[in-house]
CSV table of all heavy atoms in Angstrom, one decimal:
chain,number,residue,atom,x,y,z
A,1,PRO,N,3.6,-1.3,15.1
A,1,PRO,CA,2.3,-0.8,14.8
A,1,PRO,C,1.7,-1.2,13.4
A,1,PRO,O,2.4,-1.4,12.5
A,1,PRO,CB,2.5,0.7,14.8
A,1,PRO,CG,4.0,0.9,14.4
A,1,PRO,CD,4.7,-0.3,15.0
A,2,CYS,N,0.4,-1.3,13.4
A,2,CYS,CA,-0.4,-1.5,12.2
A,2,CYS,C,-0.9,-0.1,11.7
A,2,CYS,O,-1.4,0.7,12.6
A,2,CYS,CB,-1.6,-2.4,12.4
A,2,CYS,SG,-1.1,-4.2,12.7
A,3,ILE,N,-0.9,0.1,10.5
A,3,ILE,CA,-1.5,1.3,9.8
A,3,ILE,C,-2.3,0.9,8.7
A,3,ILE,O,-1.9,0.0,7.9
A,3,ILE,CB,-0.4,2.3,9.4
A,3,ILE,CG1,0.4,2.8,10.6
A,3,ILE,CG2,-1.0,3.5,8.6
A,3,ILE,CD1,1.6,3.7,10.3
A,4,LEU,N,-3.5,1.4,8.5
A,4,LEU,CA,-4.4,1.1,7.5
A,4,LEU,C,-4.3,2.1,6.3
A,4,LEU,O,-4.3,3.3,6.6
A,4,LEU,CB,-5.8,1.0,8.0
A,4,LEU,CG,-6.0,0.1,9.2
A,4,LEU,CD1,-7.5,0.1,9.7
A,4,LEU,CD2,-5.6,-1.4,8.9
A,5,LEU,N,-4.4,1.6,5.1
A,5,LEU,CA,-4.4,2.4,3.9
A,5,LEU,C,-5.7,2.3,3.2
A,5,LEU,O,-6.2,1.2,3.0
A,5,LEU,CB,-3.2,2.0,3.0
A,5,LEU,CG,-3.0,3.0,1.8
A,5,LEU,CD1,-2.3,4.2,2.3
A,5,LEU,CD2,-2.1,2.3,0.8
A,6,LYS,N,-6.3,3.4,2.9
A,6,LYS,CA,-7.6,3.4,2.2
A,6,LYS,C,-7.5,4.3,1.0
A,6,LYS,O,-7.0,5.4,1.0
A,6,LYS,CB,-8.7,4.0,3.2
A,6,LYS,CG,-10.1,4.0,2.6
A,6,LYS,CD,-11.1,4.5,3.7
A,6,LYS,CE,-11.1,6.0,3.9
A,6,LYS,NZ,-11.7,6.7,2.7
A,7,MET,N,-8.0,3.7,-0.1
A,7,MET,CA,-8.1,4.5,-1.4
A,7,MET,C,-9.3,5.3,-1.4
A,7,MET,O,-10.4,4.9,-1.0
A,7,MET,CB,-8.1,3.4,-2.6
A,7,MET,CG,-7.8,4.0,-3.9
A,7,MET,SD,-8.0,2.9,-5.3
A,7,MET,CE,-6.9,1.5,-4.7
A,8,ASN,N,-9.2,6.6,-1.9
A,8,ASN,CA,-10.4,7.4,-2.0
A,8,ASN,C,-11.4,6.9,-2.9
A,8,ASN,O,-11.1,6.3,-4.0
A,8,ASN,CB,-10.0,8.8,-2.4
A,8,ASN,CG,-9.1,9.6,-1.4
A,8,ASN,OD1,-9.0,9.2,-0.3
A,8,ASN,ND2,-8.5,10.7,-1.8
A,9,ARG,N,-12.7,7.1,-2.6
A,9,ARG,CA,-13.8,6.6,-3.4
A,9,ARG,C,-14.0,7.5,-4.7
A,9,ARG,O,-14.0,8.7,-4.6
A,9,ARG,CB,-15.1,6.6,-2.6
A,9,ARG,CG,-15.1,5.7,-1.4
A,9,ARG,CD,-16.4,5.8,-0.7
A,9,ARG,NE,-16.4,4.9,0.5
A,9,ARG,CZ,-17.4,4.7,1.3
A,9,ARG,NH1,-18.6,5.4,1.0
A,9,ARG,NH2,-17.4,3.9,2.3
A,10,ILE,N,-14.1,6.9,-5.8
A,10,ILE,CA,-14.4,7.6,-7.1
A,10,ILE,C,-15.5,6.8,-7.8
A,10,ILE,O,-15.3,5.6,-8.1
A,10,ILE,CB,-13.1,7.7,-8.0
A,10,ILE,CG1,-12.0,8.4,-7.2
A,10,ILE,CG2,-13.4,8.4,-9.3
A,10,ILE,CD1,-10.7,8.4,-8.0
A,11,ILE,N,-16.6,7.5,-8.0
A,11,ILE,CA,-17.7,6.9,-8.7
A,11,ILE,C,-17.4,6.3,-10.0
A,11,ILE,O,-16.8,7.0,-10.9
A,11,ILE,CB,-18.9,7.8,-8.8
A,11,ILE,CG1,-19.4,8.2,-7.4
A,11,ILE,CG2,-20.0,7.2,-9.6
A,11,ILE,CD1,-20.5,9.3,-7.4
A,12,GLY,N,-17.6,5.0,-10.2
A,12,GLY,CA,-17.4,4.4,-11.5
A,12,GLY,C,-16.0,3.9,-11.8
A,12,GLY,O,-15.7,3.3,-12.8
A,13,TYR,N,-15.1,4.2,-10.9
A,13,TYR,CA,-13.7,4.0,-11.2
A,13,TYR,C,-13.3,2.5,-11.0
A,13,TYR,O,-13.8,1.8,-10.1
A,13,TYR,CB,-12.8,4.8,-10.2
A,13,TYR,CG,-11.3,4.6,-10.4
A,13,TYR,CD1,-10.7,5.0,-11.6
A,13,TYR,CD2,-10.5,4.1,-9.4
A,13,TYR,CE1,-9.3,4.9,-11.8
A,13,TYR,CE2,-9.1,4.0,-9.6
A,13,TYR,CZ,-8.5,4.4,-10.8
A,13,TYR,OH,-7.2,4.3,-10.9
A,14,ARG,N,-12.6,2.0,-12.0
A,14,ARG,CA,-12.1,0.6,-12.0
A,14,ARG,C,-10.6,0.5,-11.9
A,14,ARG,O,-9.9,0.6,-12.9
A,14,ARG,CB,-12.6,-0.2,-13.2
A,14,ARG,CG,-14.2,-0.1,-13.4
A,14,ARG,CD,-14.6,-0.9,-14.6
A,14,ARG,NE,-16.0,-0.7,-14.9
A,14,ARG,CZ,-16.7,-1.2,-15.9
A,14,ARG,NH1,-16.0,-2.1,-16.7
A,14,ARG,NH2,-17.9,-0.9,-16.1
A,15,PRO,N,-10.0,0.5,-10.7
A,15,PRO,CA,-8.6,0.6,-10.6
A,15,PRO,C,-7.8,-0.6,-11.2
A,15,PRO,O,-8.3,-1.7,-11.1
A,15,PRO,CB,-8.4,0.7,-9.0
A,15,PRO,CG,-9.6,0.0,-8.5
A,15,PRO,CD,-10.7,0.3,-9.4
A,16,GLY,N,-6.7,-0.3,-11.7
A,16,GLY,CA,-5.8,-1.3,-12.2
A,16,GLY,C,-6.1,-1.9,-13.5
A,16,GLY,O,-5.4,-2.8,-14.0
A,17,ALA,N,-7.2,-1.4,-14.2
A,17,ALA,CA,-7.5,-1.9,-15.5
A,17,ALA,C,-7.6,-3.5,-15.6
A,17,ALA,O,-7.0,-4.1,-16.4
A,17,ALA,CB,-6.6,-1.4,-16.6
A,18,GLY,N,-8.2,-4.1,-14.6
A,18,GLY,CA,-8.4,-5.5,-14.5
A,18,GLY,C,-7.3,-6.3,-13.7
A,18,GLY,O,-7.5,-7.5,-13.5
A,19,VAL,N,-6.3,-5.6,-13.2
A,19,VAL,CA,-5.3,-6.2,-12.4
A,19,VAL,C,-5.3,-5.5,-11.0
A,19,VAL,O,-5.2,-4.2,-11.0
A,19,VAL,CB,-3.9,-6.1,-13.0
A,19,VAL,CG1,-2.9,-6.7,-12.1
A,19,VAL,CG2,-3.9,-6.8,-14.3
A,20,PRO,N,-5.4,-6.2,-9.9
A,20,PRO,CA,-5.5,-5.5,-8.6
A,20,PRO,C,-4.4,-4.6,-8.3
A,20,PRO,O,-3.2,-4.9,-8.6
A,20,PRO,CB,-5.5,-6.7,-7.6
A,20,PRO,CG,-6.1,-7.8,-8.4
A,20,PRO,CD,-5.5,-7.7,-9.8
A,21,VAL,N,-4.7,-3.4,-7.7
A,21,VAL,CA,-3.7,-2.4,-7.3
A,21,VAL,C,-3.0,-2.9,-6.1
A,21,VAL,O,-3.7,-3.4,-5.1
A,21,VAL,CB,-4.4,-1.0,-7.1
A,21,VAL,CG1,-3.4,-0.1,-6.5
A,21,VAL,CG2,-4.9,-0.5,-8.5
A,22,SER,N,-1.7,-2.8,-6.0
A,22,SER,CA,-1.0,-3.3,-4.8
A,22,SER,C,-0.4,-2.1,-4.1
A,22,SER,O,-0.3,-1.0,-4.6
A,22,SER,CB,0.1,-4.2,-5.3
A,22,SER,OG,1.1,-3.6,-6.1
A,23,VAL,N,0.2,-2.4,-2.9
A,23,VAL,CA,0.8,-1.4,-2.0
A,23,VAL,C,2.2,-1.8,-1.7
A,23,VAL,O,2.4,-3.0,-1.4
A,23,VAL,CB,-0.1,-1.2,-0.7
A,23,VAL,CG1,0.6,-0.1,0.2
A,23,VAL,CG2,-1.5,-0.8,-1.1
A,24,ASP,N,3.1,-0.8,-1.7
A,24,ASP,CA,4.4,-1.1,-1.1
A,24,ASP,C,4.9,0.1,-0.3
A,24,ASP,O,4.3,1.2,-0.4
A,24,ASP,CB,5.4,-1.4,-2.2
A,24,ASP,CG,5.8,-0.3,-3.1
A,24,ASP,OD1,5.6,0.9,-2.7
A,24,ASP,OD2,6.2,-0.5,-4.3
A,25,CYS,N,5.8,-0.1,0.6
A,25,CYS,CA,6.3,0.9,1.5
A,25,CYS,C,7.8,0.9,1.5
A,25,CYS,O,8.4,-0.1,1.4
A,25,CYS,CB,5.8,0.7,2.9
A,25,CYS,SG,4.0,0.8,3.1
A,26,LYS,N,8.4,2.1,1.7
A,26,LYS,CA,9.8,2.2,1.7
A,26,LYS,C,10.2,3.5,2.5
A,26,LYS,O,9.3,4.3,2.8
A,26,LYS,CB,10.4,2.3,0.3
A,26,LYS,CG,10.0,3.5,-0.4
A,26,LYS,CD,10.6,3.6,-1.9
A,26,LYS,CE,10.1,4.8,-2.6
A,26,LYS,NZ,10.7,4.8,-4.0
A,27,VAL,N,11.4,3.6,2.9
A,27,VAL,CA,11.9,4.8,3.6
A,27,VAL,C,11.9,5.9,2.6
A,27,VAL,O,12.5,5.7,1.5
A,27,VAL,CB,13.3,4.5,4.2
A,27,VAL,CG1,13.9,5.9,4.8
A,27,VAL,CG2,13.2,3.5,5.3
A,28,GLN,N,11.3,7.0,2.9
A,28,GLN,CA,11.2,8.1,1.9
A,28,GLN,C,12.6,8.7,1.7
A,28,GLN,O,13.0,9.0,0.6
A,28,GLN,CB,10.2,9.1,2.3
A,28,GLN,CG,10.0,10.2,1.3
A,28,GLN,CD,9.7,11.5,1.8
A,28,GLN,OE1,9.8,11.8,3.0
A,28,GLN,NE2,9.3,12.4,1.0
A,29,LYS,N,13.2,9.1,2.8
A,29,LYS,CA,14.6,9.7,2.8
A,29,LYS,C,15.4,9.1,3.9
A,29,LYS,O,14.9,9.0,5.0
A,29,LYS,CB,14.5,11.2,2.9
A,29,LYS,CG,13.9,12.0,1.8
A,29,LYS,CD,13.9,13.4,2.0
A,29,LYS,CE,13.2,14.2,0.9
A,29,LYS,NZ,13.2,15.7,1.1
A,30,GLY,N,16.6,8.8,3.6
A,30,GLY,CA,17.5,8.2,4.6
A,30,GLY,C,17.9,6.8,4.4
A,30,GLY,O,17.9,6.3,3.2
A,31,ASN,N,18.3,6.1,5.4
A,31,ASN,CA,18.8,4.8,5.3
A,31,ASN,C,17.7,3.7,5.1
A,31,ASN,O,16.8,3.7,6.0
A,31,ASN,CB,19.6,4.4,6.6
A,31,ASN,CG,20.5,3.2,6.4
A,31,ASN,OD1,20.2,2.3,5.6
A,31,ASN,ND2,21.6,3.2,7.1
A,32,GLU,N,17.7,3.0,4.1
A,32,GLU,CA,16.7,2.0,3.8
A,32,GLU,C,16.6,0.9,4.9
A,32,GLU,O,15.5,0.3,5.1
A,32,GLU,CB,16.9,1.3,2.4
A,32,GLU,CG,16.7,2.3,1.3
A,32,GLU,CD,16.9,1.6,-0.1
A,32,GLU,OE1,17.1,0.3,0.0
A,32,GLU,OE2,16.8,2.2,-1.1
A,33,SER,N,17.7,0.7,5.6
A,33,SER,CA,17.7,-0.3,6.6
A,33,SER,C,16.9,0.1,7.9
A,33,SER,O,16.7,-0.7,8.8
A,33,SER,CB,19.1,-0.7,7.1
A,33,SER,OG,19.8,0.4,7.6
A,34,ASP,N,16.4,1.4,7.9
A,34,ASP,CA,15.6,1.8,9.1
A,34,ASP,C,14.2,1.1,9.1
A,34,ASP,O,13.6,1.1,10.1
A,34,ASP,CB,15.4,3.3,9.0
A,34,ASP,CG,16.7,4.1,9.3
A,34,ASP,OD1,17.7,3.5,9.7
A,34,ASP,OD2,16.8,5.3,9.0
A,35,LEU,N,13.9,0.7,7.9
A,35,LEU,CA,12.6,-0.1,7.8
A,35,LEU,C,13.0,-1.5,7.2
A,35,LEU,O,13.2,-1.7,6.0
A,35,LEU,CB,11.6,0.6,6.8
A,35,LEU,CG,10.3,-0.1,6.5
A,35,LEU,CD1,9.5,-0.2,7.8
A,35,LEU,CD2,9.5,0.7,5.4
A,36,ARG,N,13.0,-2.4,8.2
A,36,ARG,CA,13.5,-3.7,7.8
A,36,ARG,C,12.5,-4.8,7.4
A,36,ARG,O,12.8,-5.7,6.8
A,36,ARG,CB,14.4,-4.3,9.0
A,36,ARG,CG,15.7,-3.5,9.2
A,36,ARG,CD,16.5,-4.0,10.3
A,36,ARG,NE,16.0,-3.6,11.6
A,36,ARG,CZ,16.3,-2.5,12.2
A,36,ARG,NH1,17.2,-1.7,11.7
A,36,ARG,NH2,15.8,-2.2,13.4
A,37,SER,N,11.2,-4.5,7.9
A,37,SER,CA,10.2,-5.5,7.6
A,37,SER,C,8.8,-4.9,7.7
A,37,SER,O,8.5,-4.2,8.6
A,37,SER,CB,10.3,-6.7,8.6
A,37,SER,OG,9.3,-7.6,8.4
A,38,VAL,N,8.0,-5.2,6.7
A,38,VAL,CA,6.6,-4.8,6.6
A,38,VAL,C,5.8,-6.0,6.1
A,38,VAL,O,6.1,-6.5,5.1
A,38,VAL,CB,6.3,-3.6,5.7
A,38,VAL,CG1,4.9,-3.1,5.9
A,38,VAL,CG2,7.3,-2.4,6.0
A,39,ASP,N,4.7,-6.3,6.9
A,39,ASP,CA,3.8,-7.3,6.4
A,39,ASP,C,2.5,-6.6,5.9
A,39,ASP,O,2.1,-5.6,6.5
A,39,ASP,CB,3.4,-8.3,7.5
A,39,ASP,CG,4.6,-9.1,8.0
A,39,ASP,OD1,5.5,-9.4,7.1
A,39,ASP,OD2,4.7,-9.5,9.1
A,40,PHE,N,1.9,-7.2,4.9
A,40,PHE,CA,0.7,-6.6,4.3
A,40,PHE,C,-0.5,-7.5,4.4
A,40,PHE,O,-0.3,-8.7,4.1
A,40,PHE,CB,0.9,-6.2,2.8
A,40,PHE,CG,2.0,-5.1,2.6
A,40,PHE,CD1,3.3,-5.5,2.4
A,40,PHE,CD2,1.6,-3.8,2.6
A,40,PHE,CE1,4.3,-4.5,2.2
A,40,PHE,CE2,2.6,-2.8,2.4
A,40,PHE,CZ,3.9,-3.2,2.2
A,41,TYR,N,-1.7,-7.0,4.7
A,41,TYR,CA,-2.9,-7.8,4.7
A,41,TYR,C,-4.0,-7.0,4.1
A,41,TYR,O,-4.0,-5.7,4.1
A,41,TYR,CB,-3.3,-8.1,6.2
A,41,TYR,CG,-2.2,-8.7,7.0
A,41,TYR,CD1,-1.5,-7.9,8.0
A,41,TYR,CD2,-1.9,-10.0,6.9
A,41,TYR,CE1,-0.5,-8.5,8.8
A,41,TYR,CE2,-0.9,-10.6,7.7
A,41,TYR,CZ,-0.2,-9.8,8.6
A,41,TYR,OH,0.8,-10.4,9.4
A,42,PRO,N,-5.0,-7.6,3.4
A,42,PRO,CA,-5.0,-9.1,3.3
A,42,PRO,C,-4.1,-9.6,2.2
A,42,PRO,O,-3.7,-8.8,1.3
A,42,PRO,CB,-6.5,-9.3,2.8
A,42,PRO,CG,-6.9,-8.0,2.2
A,42,PRO,CD,-6.1,-6.9,2.9
A,43,GLY,N,-3.8,-10.8,2.2
A,43,GLY,CA,-2.9,-11.5,1.2
A,43,GLY,C,-1.6,-10.7,1.0
A,43,GLY,O,-0.9,-10.5,2.0
A,44,ASN,N,-1.4,-10.3,-0.2
A,44,ASN,CA,-0.1,-9.7,-0.5
A,44,ASN,C,-0.2,-8.2,-0.6
A,44,ASN,O,0.5,-7.5,-1.3
A,44,ASN,CB,0.5,-10.2,-1.8
A,44,ASN,CG,-0.6,-10.2,-2.9
A,44,ASN,OD1,-1.7,-9.8,-2.7
A,44,ASN,ND2,-0.2,-10.5,-4.1
A,45,GLY,N,-1.3,-7.6,0.1
A,45,GLY,CA,-1.4,-6.2,0.1
A,45,GLY,C,-2.0,-5.6,-1.2
A,45,GLY,O,-1.5,-4.7,-1.8
A,46,THR,N,-3.1,-6.1,-1.6
A,46,THR,CA,-3.8,-5.6,-2.8
A,46,THR,C,-5.3,-5.3,-2.5
A,46,THR,O,-5.9,-5.8,-1.6
A,46,THR,CB,-3.8,-6.7,-4.0
A,46,THR,OG1,-4.4,-7.9,-3.5
A,46,THR,CG2,-2.4,-7.0,-4.4
A,47,PHE,N,-5.8,-4.4,-3.4
A,47,PHE,CA,-7.2,-4.0,-3.3
A,47,PHE,C,-8.0,-4.9,-4.3
A,47,PHE,O,-7.8,-4.7,-5.5
A,47,PHE,CB,-7.4,-2.6,-3.7
A,47,PHE,CG,-6.9,-1.6,-2.6
A,47,PHE,CD1,-5.6,-1.1,-2.7
A,47,PHE,CD2,-7.6,-1.2,-1.5
A,47,PHE,CE1,-5.0,-0.3,-1.8
A,47,PHE,CE2,-7.1,-0.3,-0.6
A,47,PHE,CZ,-5.8,0.1,-0.7
């Protein structure tokens, strides 16, 4: 499955102070091997 992540809108906000904010995912609790592969789009998963 694909899941989309959206950052909340904030008037005037400039995220990352000049460097794009990125996204990563991991198993919150449990065996890390339960999540073996995630692809991010666009590019390397940045805003």
Side-chain angles (χ1 to χ4, degrees):
C2 289
I3 297 176
L4 307 177
L5 189 75
K6 183 174 76 72
M7 194 186 306
N8 292 347
R9 298 179 181 183
I10 300 175
I11 294 176
Y13 183 63
R14 303 181 191 181
V19 179
V21 172
S22 62
V23 178
D24 68 26
C25 297
K26 63 182 180 181
V27 174
Q28 188 214 9
K29 291 181 180 179
N31 195 329
E32 293 182 1
S33 64
D34 291 347
L35 177 61
R36 291 179 283 269
S37 179
V38 187
D39 295 331
F40 296 92
Y41 307 105
N44 53 356
T46 59
F47 292 92

